[in-house]
Amino acid sequence: MARTLYDKLWDAHVVHQEENGTALIYIDRHLVHEVTSPQAFEGLKLAGRRLWQAKTVLATPDHNVPTTDRAAGIVDPVSRTQVETLDANCAEFGLNEFRMDDSRQGIVHVIGPEQGFTLPGATLVCGDSHTSTHGAFAALAFGIGTSEVEQVLATQCLWQKKSKSMLVNVNGDLPLGVTAKDLALAIIGRIGTAGGNGYAIEFGGSTIRALSMEGRMTLCNMAIEAGARAGMVAADEKTIAYVEGRPQAPKGVHWQQAVAYWRSLHSDDGAPFDAVLEFDGAAIKPQVTWGTSPEMVLSVEDRVPNPADAPSAVKKADWERALAYMGLAAGTPIGEISIDKAFIGSCTNSRIEDLREAAAVARWAVSQGRRVADTVRLAIVVPGSGLVKAQAEAEGLDQDFRAAGFEWREPGCSMCLAMNADRLEPGERCASTSNRNFEGRQGQGGRTHLVSPAMAAAAAVFGHFVDIRGLHGAAQR
Amino acid sequence: MKPFTTLQGLVAPLDRANVDTDAIIPKQFLKSIKRSGFGPNAFDEWRYLDRGEPDRDCSARPLNPDFVLNQARYRGASILLARENFGCGSSREHAPWALEDFGFRAIIAPSFADIFFNNCFKNGILPIVLAADVVDRLFRETEAQEGYRLTIDLAAQTVTTPAGEVIRFAVDGESKHRLFNGLDDIGLTLLHTDRIKAYEERRRAEAAWLFQA
């Protein structure tokens, strides 16, 4: 029988199937960070439990780490305690950890793929909802809570019910200046933040096959913002080429065996999905969120909507509350919204390709005699890992950013959720390449507009949102 | 884990859709390395007028009079009535920890985000999905009658209103069994140790590269 990619990944990991539909699923890889793990380690210690397979874990601190000079350590004592607790737990349980001063440290969802820790065909979990990112490698990857972190550490398994399957089929060439981030936001805009609840989403079609691995990661990363715990893309030659030669990738005869298997990681022709959605990639425009949920999104050509036009009473109330929080009036053109800060980074958009796209805008600005607008208080670029940072510096991107007035920082989650010192102050408005525009997400009272890296960089230069497609020479393919 | 059998409790209505876990427990409180004590900071940004910080005593902080859970009539509520997609966003289990510490043992909504829904069951909280029109009616009744209480019976899978109306709800059999008995997932999993080892042996033979690291 024809099977979906999700079926194949699921079937390969069933340890035990209960009659009531619940299955015990084996977990191959487990990423651990400082925020959602301390209570899990404490639970293990209290129960006197050992780790099932310590070698399947890769740990790093990312949420609390400072993005400025790290020589002084972490100033905030509460943040420092959390990072030190991770260090101590990893040492006690014998886990591989990239500590804050390690050149390989970074956001868990950037370093997993970078190290070849994330592999096609694997199950991968992390106490972090954006674990869906790793599905870009035809892996079954999803976020879990701390109780489940503890369970995976102790048993290598999770109790799961199989999700329904959804195919999001996208065909056509994305226009110049339109990225995987715009595609992700456009999909969420259509299906809503609950549209994927109960589903595992596979992204397919010519647009997806044309995306780089970085683009696929951005797309799968945002699957959770559409409500789906897992997003995934079939393996192809790009997937295999990305993994090859990475430090933890299979070697020698294992590599040959692995690649042969990975080539089977796609949905069979005629495999049945519970839902199928079609999108025209060529019709996608640069996206900007206007409200406090990722589904509150429009193209840069649009105007802030009027709650009177909302499709339901509940939505109308939502829109009114969102406009009040965001300090926006209905009917305002998106291009007239001014920003105070710009943030380029996060597990959504901090990989080398993202930085190249933003740096191209910075170079364009300098070539036009422009730089970050005077009205913009802060524009920061936070690479996803130490290795991304090093590569960007080798390519001179840091110089491009600095020359245009952007700050070049150390890697971490940073202003995506503001657990470190990088945050918005009440009322500040930010063009952000992160994934959530929830109230208070980037700092209490902060106002977030989600955009692509090039759109964030352009907003920083102009002081308001602009259509990247109109800046001749600024947009990269 | 605390078992959940029956609950007779005061209902508090939180009338907004897509309540995310950042709203339920803001990020600065995630710096705690403990599992308890999050209740005073549940809905911190909506509940208080000032900015909350970890380890700060909340008893003297200025309350937001407009936030529904601050109203005297809902004090001591153990059942939260909510709208669509409750608990979306971050996977933080601090969200159910905070709700449980605040006093909630059950949440009724038309839909929940998957990770949050799952996390509730690990923490003795019963998330109940009811049809949107039924939830709508419960909102109206809760707001109309001070002291509105519901009775929840997990074994029978029923919610009973003060007027005696019995509303049935669905719950996955396995989750129900574990919550009803307060069973520990890890203990249950370790009963399958032989199966896990057999799986690993089989898997090592067919996908050796996964065990190479």
Side-chain angles (χ1 to χ4, degrees), chain A residues 12 20 26 39 52 76 79 82 146-148 151 159 197-198 250 321 417 419 439-441 444, chain B residues 16 22 27 30-31 34 46 51 85 89-91 93 112 114 118 174 178 189 195 199-200 210 212:
Chain A
N20 59 24
Y26 192 81
Q39 299 85 355
W52 189 278
D76 174 2
S79 286
Q82 198 163 50
T146 298
S147 295
E148 290 184 322
Q151 189 190 336
W159 293 98
N197 281 4
R321 205 154 30 213
L417 85 169
M419 279 190 76
E439 285 183 23
R441 171 79 179 182
Q444 188 168 12
Chain B
R16 41 198 301 180
D22 274 86
K27 83 278 298 183
L30 272 51
K31 297 181 186 187
K34 294 185 290 224
W46 293 345
R51 186 186 150 81
N85 202 27
S90 158
S91 62
E93 199 162 316
F112 292 88
D114 292 348
N118 200 33
E174 189 67 30
R178 291 180 192 190
T189 309
R195 286 194 168 102
Y199 172 89
E200 284 181 329
L210 286 168
Q212 190 192 31

Side-chain angles (χ1 to χ4, degrees), chain B residues 4-175:
Chain B
F4 187 110
T5 52
T6 58
L7 172 68
Q8 218 256 346
L10 186 67
V11 183
L14 184 59
D15 194 3
R16 41 198 301 180
N18 297 313
V19 170
D20 58 77
T21 54
D22 274 86
I24 296 171
I25 183 81
K27 83 278 298 183
Q28 63 267 38
F29 307 107
L30 272 51
K31 297 181 186 187
S32 167
I33 57 172
K34 294 185 290 224
R35 199 182 263 266
S36 56
F38 294 99
N41 299 111
F43 301 108
D44 199 274
E45 291 184 7
W46 293 345
R47 194 166 152 197
Y48 302 99
L49 293 170
D50 62 348
R51 186 186 150 81
E53 293 295 344
D55 297 328
R56 183 173 156 201
D57 176 18
C58 294
S59 58
R61 292 176 60 197
L63 292 171
N64 175 4
D66 296 334
F67 183 54
V68 65
L69 297 184
N70 285 335
Q71 294 177 24
R73 59 182 286 194
Y74 299 122
R75 193 158 302 144
S78 57
I79 299 170
L80 183 65
L81 192 58
R83 294 288 187 186
E84 290 82 4
N85 202 27
F86 188 83
C88 62
S90 158
S91 62
R92 59 189 68 167
E93 199 162 316
H94 311 67
W97 294 341
L99 293 170
E100 201 268 344
D101 200 45
F102 186 91
F104 292 118
R105 292 298 312 281
I107 307 168
I108 298 173
S111 62
F112 292 88
D114 292 348
I115 301 178
F116 175 82
F117 187 77
N118 200 33
N119 283 341
C120 282
F121 282 103
K122 314 287 182 194
N123 291 282
I125 298 176
L126 175 61
I128 297 175
V129 177
L130 294 179
D133 61 325
V134 175
V135 171
D136 219 30
R137 188 154 49 79
L138 293 179
F139 264 98
R140 287 199 298 275
E141 290 178 9
T142 303
E143 282 156 11
Q145 301 174 39
E146 194 161 337
Y148 187 85
R149 298 169 81 83
L150 290 171
T151 303
I152 297 169
D153 184 333
L154 177 57
Q157 297 179 214
T158 56
V159 175
T160 306
T161 68
E165 184 196 358
V166 178
I167 305 163
R168 286 198 49 86
F169 63 88
V171 59
D172 155 60
E174 189 67 30
S175 304

Side-chain angles (χ1 to χ4, degrees), chain A residues 74-82 84:
Chain A
I74 303 174
V75 176
D76 174 2
V78 195
S79 286
R80 189 171 63 233
T81 298
Q82 198 163 50
E84 287 171 353

Side-chain angles (χ1 to χ4, degrees), chain A residues 337-352:
Chain A
I337 299 172
S338 301
I339 63 160
D340 304 299
K341 287 182 175 170
F343 169 60
I344 296 168
S346 86
C347 57
T348 312
N349 279 135
S350 65
R351 298 177 184 83
I352 190 67

